[in-house]
Amino acid sequence: MVQEQAPQKVSIQFEDLHQQNESYIVGMWTFLVTEIMFFGGLFTTYLVYRMANQETFWEAHRHLSVPLGFFNTCVLLTSSLTMALTVHYAQRGLRKQQLLWLLATMALACTFLVVKGFEYHHKFVEGLIPGPNFRFEPVEHLRVAQLFFSLYFAMTGLHALHVLIGVLVMAILTVLIAINHPSVQDFIPVELTGLYWHFVDIVWIFLFPLLYLIPR
């Protein structure tokens, strides 16, 4: 049974609903474009160094866990689905279903962070944290291997930070939806959060093959 969309209120600074929604969406896409440029710079830096040091990058990437990386990829792809369902039910004004799928998305995001934490801990135990205590065999590849892990921690760390920010935003949304706060009585806040979350997922879709699946 098709239900009515949640009613939207027009804020005083906008002339009509169309202008209001367009402003929100354009603002969010502008933010995402700056994020794309930011990660694009990191991806370019990584690819330049990888082209110049293919053999050592291949040796270094063997210390990454492909099964854990693949597991986290599945977790994030599933979270994209649960977020899409959250937006779907937000557009229909079904609050309980919104909460259910939003909590599921948060649980998947936390799972991703926990798995990433285990990966980082394993690198710490192996002495693969860039710095004075960095260890790598063979020793002649030590400097370039440290460069690989510097890029690995910078790129995955920034991505994990974005995941954490997403979790915090979703936690705030959950509370606001649970108390039926006026600011979340229409679907726009949930839709904007969904756009951000899909962006976070797409960044990981590029990170996983670039870092974990390096061909020789």
Side-chain angles (χ1 to χ4, degrees), residues 10 56-57 67 78 84 93-94 99 105-106 115 131 155 160-161 167 172 185 194-195 200 207 216:
V10 181
T56 306
F57 269 43
T78 307
L94 300 175
L99 284 172
T105 307
M106 288 173 62
V115 171
M155 296 168 81
L161 177 63
V167 171
I172 294 170
Q185 285 180 352
L195 279 175
V200 171
L207 283 175
R216 188 159 197 176

Side-chain angles (χ1 to χ4, degrees), residues 117-179:
F118 278 117
E119 280 195 79
Y120 283 176
H121 174 71
H122 190 243
K123 301 295 168 293
F124 177 78
V125 172
E126 284 190 322
L128 294 172
I129 304 295
N133 297 321
F134 185 80
R135 303 191 302 272
F136 191 82
E137 296 290 342
V139 178
E140 59 266 28
H141 291 163
L142 183 86
R143 186 178 61 82
V144 177
Q146 189 163 204
L147 173 63
F148 172 85
F149 281 100
S150 296
L151 289 167
Y152 165 77
F153 281 108
M155 296 168 81
T156 60
L158 282 169
H159 177 262
L161 177 63
H162 280 71
V163 173
L164 181 61
I165 291 170
V167 171
L168 294 175
V169 171
M170 285 187 277
I172 294 170
L173 266 183
T174 301
V175 173
L176 293 176
I177 293 169
I179 63 175

Side-chain angles (χ1 to χ4, degrees), residues 9-16 19-20 23-24:
K9 294 180 180 177
V10 181
S11 300
I12 191 170
Q13 67 269 33
F14 299 108
E15 292 182 358
D16 52 42
Q19 186 190 51
Q20 175 176 285
S23 299
Y24 290 154

Side-chain angles (χ1 to χ4, degrees), residues 78-124:
T78 307
S79 75
S80 265
L81 173 63
T82 56
M83 177 53 84
L85 288 169
T86 305
V87 174
H88 170 74
Y89 286 115
Q91 290 172 339
R92 290 172 174 255
L94 300 175
R95 199 152 55 94
K96 287 183 180 177
Q97 287 85 346
Q98 275 186 75
L99 284 172
L100 173 66
W101 292 112
L102 197 55
L103 288 171
T105 307
M106 288 173 62
L108 290 166
C110 291
T111 301
F112 176 90
L113 290 174
V114 169
V115 171
K116 184 51 69 182
F118 278 117
E119 280 195 79
Y120 283 176
H121 174 71
H122 190 243
K123 301 295 168 293
F124 177 78

Side-chain angles (χ1 to χ4, degrees), residues 8 10-32 188-189 191-192 195:
Q8 284 186 262
V10 181
S11 300
I12 191 170
Q13 67 269 33
F14 299 108
E15 292 182 358
D16 52 42
L17 192 59
H18 175 73
Q19 186 190 51
Q20 175 176 285
N21 289 347
E22 192 173 31
S23 299
Y24 290 154
I25 298 296
V26 169
M28 190 62 190
W29 274 109
T30 303
F31 167 71
L32 292 179
I188 288 296
E191 184 163 312
L192 297 181
L195 279 175

